[in-house]
Amino acid sequence: MIGGLSWESSAVYYSLMNKLVKEKLGGYHNCKSVMLTVDFAEIELLQRAGDWAKMDELMADAASKLEAAGADVVILCTNTMHLCSEAIRGSISVPFLHIAEATGRAIVKQGAKKVALLGTSFTMEKDFYKTLLKEEFGIETIIPEKGDRDKVHRVIYEELVNGEIKDESRKMYQEVIGKLEAQGAEGVILGCTEIPMLISDKDVNIPTFNTTEIHAAMAVDWATAE
């Protein structure tokens, strides 16, 4: 696991994967794993500077170190940094499980054809997530209008990555999701691994796709398959 993006969601991944392995295998089993935690402060500066080449280098280095440590599969415990997926795949010989692929499978299973996507501005505005969902699964993705995207992004970076959960921010997210539902969204992708700390199915009228849970479950299914 490449973690630290942010560490709060990495902790959720770790907890989920151990619980899922115990549920599958029973007894005293837990998830055999190794996590390399990067410094989010460094990544955030590079994101603001738009230096994706350097981030590719850092993610590829992290993935290769995980393989050297014995990992049989690599996952990236975040959505946005999947912009570095090709660099990661090019640095390792073991499988890399993409979060959007896992999410697409979950959406297809739910039967939805048109979904909303919430996340950082990078995730919402760049094509890496939306293109994969369209090309691999035939899923149409819609995003909030510019003003709402800015508000969603701000809450992630100013609050959620710092572990701050505010009722007013939850209400704002509910309003944004309501607008997207009115545009025909049959579900909403919580496309930042911190968003599920703020929003869940009980908060909105349409199904939520918790990418943290979906991704962790896919990794455990892969690792425990016969």
Side-chain angles (χ1 to χ4, degrees), residues 2-13 40 47 77-81 99 118-120 123 152-153 155-165 170 173 190-200 209-213:
I2 303 175
L5 300 155
S6 65
W7 73 261
E8 281 88 354
S9 61
S10 302
V12 175
Y13 266 90
F40 185 60
Q47 287 177 340
C77 300
T78 176
N79 283 270
T80 296
M81 294 302 290
I99 196 167
L118 297 187
T120 67
T123 298
V152 168
H153 180 92
V155 167
I156 292 168
Y157 277 83
E158 295 182 9
E159 299 172 18
L160 299 183
V161 300
N162 295 312
E164 297 180 17
I165 310 299
R170 180 178 293 107
Y173 268 58
L190 306 183
C192 172
T193 49
E194 284 81 22
I195 293 177
M197 297 190 295
L198 184 69
I199 290 290
S200 65
F209 296 97
N210 181 330
T211 55
T212 306
E213 290 185 351

Side-chain angles (χ1 to χ4, degrees), residues 29-170:
H29 286 289
N30 58 271
C31 180
K32 293 173 65 178
S33 64
V34 56
M35 180 182 287
L36 190 151
T37 304
V38 302
D39 184 0
F40 185 60
E42 182 179 3
I43 298 298
E44 192 273 335
L45 285 173
L46 292 169
Q47 287 177 340
R48 281 196 281 126
D51 192 349
W52 290 96
K54 180 62 176 178
M55 286 183 277
D56 278 346
E57 180 184 325
L58 292 173
M59 294 299 101
D61 179 66
S64 63
K65 287 176 178 174
L66 289 171
E67 182 176 11
D72 297 311
V73 61
V74 172
I75 63 170
L76 182 55
C77 300
T78 176
N79 283 270
T80 296
M81 294 302 290
H82 277 74
L83 278 159
C84 301
S85 294
E86 291 310 308
I88 291 171
R89 285 196 172 105
S91 71
I92 56 178
S93 59
V94 296
F96 172 70
L97 303 186
H98 197 294
I99 196 167
E101 180 184 347
T103 302
R105 292 180 180 184
I107 294 169
V108 168
K109 188 175 181 180
Q110 187 84 15
K113 293 293 185 181
K114 181 177 181 179
V115 296
L117 172 63
L118 297 187
T120 67
S121 292
F122 310 107
T123 298
M124 291 186 287
E125 295 172 3
K126 293 184 181 292
D127 291 332
F128 73 106
Y129 218 102
K130 293 174 283 189
T131 299
L132 189 153
L133 291 176
K134 185 66 175 178
E135 292 181 352
E136 298 293 328
F137 301 99
I139 297 166
E140 179 185 354
T141 308
I142 60 174
I143 60 174
E145 61 186 23
K146 179 64 168 65
D148 286 343
R149 293 200 301 270
D150 291 343
K151 289 188 286 187
V152 168
H153 180 92
R154 181 194 60 77
V155 167
I156 292 168
Y157 277 83
E158 295 182 9
E159 299 172 18
L160 299 183
V161 300
N162 295 312
E164 297 180 17
I165 310 299
K166 297 182 178 180
D167 288 338
E168 58 265 34
S169 296
R170 180 178 293 107

